[in-house]
């Protein structure tokens, strides 16, 4: 039995479920919890891929969590890997989603090149632990503006990434590597979808976000200035403004 997802929650109101990125932890949502928990019950689970080892299994675990909130369909948002899970949820359990927020993510599967990189990373983590992969990701994900003007954000990202265990990193890489993607899910969606992207995101670039927003019948695009792949942490003021406008 894989069991329920561990979660933290803050605030009262309608639930807002936020799904974290890789290789990060639910605390990456702290700026959104702070901004929104006076009006929303912000629920941030840890996506434990060692127990739910695929996007489909993780989407089913999130579905179980949503049912347990006993609040009907809820707003679900995810950044990057969290977006992969959100789209899998939207495809498998559309009746549980009231609206979706997809940040710095993509609806297609990995390219062969990315799959090969993930396999190399898995071997590296098995041999050396998480440090080399964390160092590489902490350099690769934030945009140049953040690195130049807000080095404390990069240090915070590195600290958050330092909390994950090697076996979790290997399992999450596997789930991302084998995912088939959610192409077609957005076109079939019947709920409002906010697609957010940092204008300096090179991992899931603005062009991908634009196409995703255009594919969803009720899609809306928000571009966050001066942010790379971790737009919610790199420019929380702009990210939260877009999120609050969408939620209201
Ligand atoms: C993430 O931020 O979750 C990762 O960049 C996702 C990925 O590696 O595909």
């Amino acid at each position: 039995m894989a069991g329920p997802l561990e979660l933290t929650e803050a605030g009262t109101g309608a639930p807002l479920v936020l799904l974290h990125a890789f290789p990060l932890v639910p605390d990456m949502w702290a700026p959104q919890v702070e901004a929104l928990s006076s009006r929303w019950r912000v629920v941030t689970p840890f996506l434990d891929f060692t127990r739910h080892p695929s996007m489909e299994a993780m989407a089913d675990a999130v579905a179980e969590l949503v049912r347990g909130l006993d609040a009907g369909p809820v707003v679900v948002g995810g950044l990057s890997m969290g977006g992969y899970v959100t789209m899998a949820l939207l495809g498998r359990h559309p009746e549980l989603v009231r609206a979706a927020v997809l940040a710095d993510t993509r609806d297609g599967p990995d390219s062969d090149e990315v799959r090969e990189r993930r396999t190399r990373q898995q071997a590296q983590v098995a041999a050396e632990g998480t440090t080399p992969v964390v160092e590489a990701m902490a350099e690769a994900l934030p945009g140049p503006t953040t690195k130049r003007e807000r080095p404390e954000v990069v240090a915070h990202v590195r600290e958050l990434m330092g909390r994950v265990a090697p076996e979790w990193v290997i399992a999450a890489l596997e789930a991302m590597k084998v995912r088939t993607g959610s192409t077609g899910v957005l076109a079939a969606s019947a709920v409002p979808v906010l697609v957010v992207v940092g204008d300096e995101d090179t991992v899931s670039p603005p062009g991908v976000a634009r196409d995703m927003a255009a594919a969803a019948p009720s899609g809306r695009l928000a571009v966050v200035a001066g942010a790379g792949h971790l737009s919610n942490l790199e420019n929380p003021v702009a990210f939260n403004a877009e999120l609050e406008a969408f939620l209201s």
Side-chain angles (χ1 to χ4, degrees):
M1 171 71 179
L5 293 172
E6 278 175 32
L7 57 85
T8 45
E9 62 171 273
T12 51
L16 169 64
V17 178
L18 295 175
L19 307 178
H20 63 88
F22 171 88
L24 283 139
V25 291
D27 272 358
M28 68 168 265
W29 294 113
Q32 287 67 49
V33 171
E34 193 184 329
L36 292 164
S37 56
S38 59
R39 278 152 295 133
W40 290 80
R41 177 183 176 194
V42 188
V43 179
T44 52
F46 175 58
L47 303 177
D48 190 348
F49 284 96
T50 65
R51 292 191 297 130
H52 306 277
S54 66
M55 291 304 153
E56 291 81 8
M58 188 57 76
D60 292 350
V62 173
E64 207 47 49
L65 179 162
V66 171
R67 286 192 199 97
L69 297 173
D70 205 18
V74 304
V75 185
V76 182
L79 191 141
S80 196
M81 182 182 73
Y84 307 157
V85 178
T86 304
M87 284 181 274
L89 179 75
L90 197 52
R92 292 168 74 80
H93 306 280
E95 74 286 357
L96 298 177
V97 182
R98 181 174 151 205
V101 180
L102 301 169
D104 302 283
T105 190
R106 57 175 68 239
D107 53 352
D110 281 353
S111 64
D112 289 345
E113 189 188 338
V114 171
R115 279 198 197 102
E116 282 158 22
R117 191 196 69 218
R118 296 204 202 275
T119 301
R120 285 196 301 277
Q121 288 176 323
Q122 286 174 309
Q124 190 174 30
V125 172
E128 304 170 42
T130 62
T131 306
V133 168
V134 161
E135 283 304 318
M137 301 287 287
E139 273 307 305
L141 301 192
T145 303
T146 301
K147 287 190 199 168
R148 196 175 56 244
E149 296 176 9
R150 296 180 297 275
E152 70 284 1
V153 173
V154 181
H156 179 53
V157 165
R158 189 174 278 114
E159 189 275 316
L160 293 171
M161 290 180 173
R163 297 189 204 170
V164 295
E167 56 275 16
W168 180 84
V169 172
I170 292 169
L173 284 166
E174 189 64 25
M176 289 193 284
K177 200 166 80 175
V178 302
R179 82 184 192 285
T180 51
S182 294
T183 316
V185 165
L186 291 175
S189 64
V191 294
V193 176
L194 174 66
V195 182
V196 189
V197 68
D199 65 347
E200 298 173 356
D201 187 347
T202 54
V203 181
S204 309
V208 171
R210 204 166 291 122
D211 290 347
M212 287 169 58
S218 299
R220 170 161 149 187
L221 178 70
V223 180
V224 175
H229 188 59
L230 301 174
S231 57
N232 77 305
L233 284 166
E234 294 181 56
N235 189 348
V237 172
F239 185 99
N240 291 348
E242 297 290 355
L243 186 56
E244 296 202 47
F246 177 70
L247 293 173
S248 68

